[in-house]
């Protein structure tokens, strides 16, 4: 069931407009691995973004959100994971929920229903125990993702607009 992820058909503004989107959306088994393959769009590139303790200025969070909204789920996962290694406490839990959210959507796209359901359940557990959602409108985002899982449109993150 491996197939490419289509680009959005409507305009979605970028939070970090000065950073270009990758040339392709990585889907395992279909395209060159972005990091390991010499044809990969991140091969031997050291990508680093400005980080901040304030989520609304954290380029890792905002870059991942741009990638997610433009359906670069694997790439969003990688950016958020890089930052996840650097932080602690509630922000770390939030980033892990975003990482798992992107992975769940990619698993759903690949037809891997059980891993998708497991990841989505873990996202719920994390988001529901956080005291706040770092600018993400969790309720609306959750509805969009669940509609996608039921055969609806590709989801976007609602909120996370930042102030950079």
């Amino acid at each position: 069931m491996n197939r490419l992820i289509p680009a959005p058909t409507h305009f979605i503004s970028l939070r970090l407009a000065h950073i270009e989107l990758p040339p392709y959306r990585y889907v395992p088994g279909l395209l060159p691995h972005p990091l390991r393959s010499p044809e990969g769009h991140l091969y031997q590139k050291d990508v680093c973004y400005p980080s901040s303790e304030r989520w609304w200025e954290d380029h890792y969070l905002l870059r991942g959100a741009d990638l997610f909204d433009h359906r670069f789920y694997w790439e969003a996962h990688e950016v958020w994971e890089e930052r996840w290694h650097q932080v602690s406490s509630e922000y770390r839990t939030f980033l892990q929920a975003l990482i798992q959210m992107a992975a769940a959507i990619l698993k759903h796209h690949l037809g891997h229903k059980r891993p998708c359901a497991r990841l989505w359940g873990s996202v719920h557990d994390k988001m529901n125990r956080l005291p706040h959602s770092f600018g993400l409108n969790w309720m609306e985002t959750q509805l969009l993702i669940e509609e996608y899982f039921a055969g609806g449109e590709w989801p976007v993150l609602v909120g996370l607009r930042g102030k950079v």
Side-chain angles (χ1 to χ4, degrees):
M1 180 147 151
N2 285 2
R3 60 190 187 286
L4 296 177
I5 296 172
T9 56
H10 58 285
F11 176 77
I12 301 171
S13 65
L14 292 168
R15 294 161 183 87
L16 301 175
H18 62 285
I19 305 175
E20 289 185 25
L21 294 171
Y24 61 89
R25 291 159 184 82
Y26 178 62
V27 177
L30 285 183
L31 299 165
H33 191 281
L35 297 170
R36 290 185 233 140
S37 171
E39 293 84 34
H41 61 74
L42 293 172
Y43 184 70
Q44 295 186 336
K45 291 182 182 171
D46 188 20
V47 179
C48 189
Y49 302 107
S51 60
S52 174
E53 295 304 312
R54 299 182 295 233
W55 71 262
W56 58 88
E57 295 176 345
D58 189 348
H59 280 53
Y60 283 92
L61 173 64
L62 301 174
R63 174 60 172 168
D66 282 342
L67 291 165
F68 184 99
D69 285 353
H70 287 85
R71 305 178 187 167
F72 291 89
Y73 300 111
W74 184 91
E75 292 83 354
H77 174 285
E78 288 295 306
V79 168
W80 288 327
E81 187 171 15
E82 180 69 27
R83 185 68 172 126
W84 177 78
H85 288 291
Q86 303 167 7
V87 298
S88 61
S89 74
E90 294 165 354
Y91 193 42
R92 182 178 172 92
T93 300
F94 175 66
L95 289 171
Q96 188 174 33
L98 293 176
I99 291 163
Q100 292 175 328
M101 191 181 302
I105 291 170
L106 189 55
K107 292 292 184 188
H108 177 81
H109 173 72
L110 293 170
H112 303 156
K113 304 300 184 199
R114 291 176 97 181
C116 172
R118 183 183 51 78
L119 286 162
W120 188 235
S122 185
V123 170
H124 274 271
D125 291 345
K126 287 175 180 61
M127 291 303 296
N128 291 331
R129 74 173 186 251
L130 286 172
H132 60 89
S133 59
F134 298 92
L136 177 70
N137 183 325
W138 166 234
M139 297 307 285
E140 284 189 44
T141 300
Q142 176 183 349
L143 288 173
L144 292 174
I145 293 172
E146 288 175 355
E147 286 174 11
Y148 167 70
F149 290 156
E153 294 294 316
W154 293 88
V156 294
L157 299 173
V158 180
L160 292 179
R161 294 314 305 174
K163 298 173 188 159
V164 292

